[in-house]
Amino acid sequence: MTKRLLVATLALLVVSVAALCLGTPIVGVNRLPAAFAGETDLEHAVVVLLRAPRLVLGLLVGAALAVAGLLLQESLRNPLAVPELLGVSSGAAVLVGVCVVWALPFPGAPLVPALVGAVIGGLITLLAARRAVGPAAVLLIGAAVNAAMQALLLTAVSLSDSREQGVLFRYLLGSLTGTTWSSVAVSAPGLIALLPLALLCVPLLGVLRLGDETASALGVRADRARLIVLVVACALVAIAVAPSGPIAWVGFLGPHLARRLRPNADPRIWLGWSALFGALLVVVADLAARTVLYPVELPVGGLTALVAIVLAALLIRRRAVLG
């Protein structure tokens, strides 16, 4: 346990330093203290003003999406439940798309409209799922809301011109491009406050894992407990996707990697490991996105989706060999 945690923490530290140093121009590790101290204008601007806010936001967004994914999977008792099925990510994308296509003077765009859209999408799902019976019904309602949002989004994209489509697609695929300390200041307080709140949901997850009938026998209303967990998950996803867009598969990969590393642990342990894997995944993907094909910047969500496909293929191959 301690050895694994030490290795994972060291890996996250190495990746974080690499995210600050690598790129154009390359900043040596020995030059990082001078860059933060502002001894040279170029290094200070590159490290402190450009790369550091992307790193901080990537860590927080990755952790939040992975924790939200774990909350969904455990509360709905479905390992395929992902934040994308809440209607939150698609709600943010719809409002950003509408603002871009019709050039609406929305203050704080695209951050504020994305946050408002995410909240609206999550509220629609929560209100519709309020009287749902069982986790399967909640998952189906979330999928229906997401499909409706996607239809609205496609309509907005079809009405946009080529210049607007470039902005839309970059956001819709998930990107940390253009992240500033102002973006971090808007999102970080909410994410930092909600992550510990997710830890308070762990006792509810333990009861929900036993099934609705067992939970009722223990004196816990399963529908109300599930709704509380969903509210926290929706809030995490809403604040995470507002500045970065819907970075796909992080909410799926983080919890699954945590379970494979600690298969016999409880949700409290999985929560911490999910946050760590989610943060690591987004930071690595963002580093690759801005360096692999420089000066072209790849979408972070596209790279995380590629990682998901590769891992799925490896798992299928392993099962075929063992089977």
Side-chain angles (χ1 to χ4, degrees):
M1 166 65 178
T2 305
K3 184 177 180 181
R4 291 174 179 175
L5 183 59
L6 183 62
V7 171
T9 305
L10 182 61
L12 188 61
L13 179 62
V14 170
V15 170
S16 299
V17 172
L20 294 175
C21 294
L22 298 181
T24 303
I26 294 177
V27 179
V29 177
N30 62 314
R31 295 296 304 165
L32 286 180
F36 279 104
E39 294 181 7
T40 58
D41 292 340
L42 177 61
E43 291 179 341
H44 178 77
V46 169
V47 173
V48 177
L49 302 181
L50 297 179
R51 295 177 185 171
R54 287 182 71 142
L55 171 62
V56 173
L57 189 64
L59 291 170
L60 291 173
V61 166
L65 291 175
V67 167
L70 180 71
L71 293 178
L72 290 174
Q73 292 169 18
E74 290 298 310
S75 63
L76 300 177
R77 303 200 306 276
N78 189 327
L80 299 180
V82 290
E84 288 76 19
L85 290 180
L86 279 176
V88 178
S89 300
S90 51
V94 166
L95 197 51
V96 169
V98 169
C99 289
V100 170
V101 171
W102 281 288
L104 299 180
F106 209 112
L111 184 61
V112 175
L115 185 57
V116 173
V119 171
I120 292 173
L123 284 176
I124 292 173
T125 301
L126 292 173
L127 290 174
R130 187 173 50 181
R131 299 188 181 278
V133 180
V138 175
L139 200 58
L140 288 174
I141 289 171
V145 172
N146 184 66
M149 293 291 182
Q150 291 290 343
L152 292 174
L153 179 60
L154 289 175
T155 303
V157 171
S158 66
L159 295 174
S160 61
D161 59 28
S162 58
R163 290 175 301 174
E164 295 166 344
Q165 286 177 357
V167 177
L168 278 175
F169 281 126
R170 187 172 64 184
Y171 178 82
L172 298 180
L173 290 174
S175 174
L176 297 177
T177 302
T179 299
T180 63
W181 286 115
S182 298
S183 306
V184 176
V186 171
S187 301
L191 293 176
I192 293 173
L194 284 169
L195 286 172
L197 191 60
L199 190 61
L200 298 178
C201 293
V202 169
L204 296 178
L205 295 179
V207 176
L208 290 173
R209 292 177 70 193
L210 301 175
D212 290 7
E213 293 182 358
T214 305
S216 299
L218 294 174
V220 176
R221 290 188 56 179
D223 54 347
R224 183 171 296 178
R226 186 175 296 111
L227 187 61
I228 292 173
V229 175
L230 288 177
V231 167
V232 175
C234 278
L236 279 170
V237 176
I239 299 176
V241 303
S244 64
I247 300 177
W249 294 102
V250 177
F252 175 81
L253 289 171
H256 278 270
L257 290 173
R259 292 192 191 95
R260 290 193 67 82
L261 184 68
R262 300 293 307 278
N264 299 319
D266 58 41
R268 178 177 56 85
I269 302 298
W270 288 339
L271 199 72
W273 281 105
S274 296
L276 195 149
F277 279 125
L280 188 62
L281 182 62
V282 171
V283 172
V284 170
D286 182 55
L287 177 60
R290 64 180 176 82
T291 57
V292 170
L293 293 180
Y294 181 84
V296 177
E297 186 161 325
L298 301 173
V300 177
L303 294 179
T304 55
L306 180 62
V307 171
I309 293 172
V310 172
L311 289 179
L314 291 175
L315 290 175
I316 292 173
R317 182 179 179 182
R318 182 180 179 183
R319 288 184 179 180
V321 171
L322 294 177

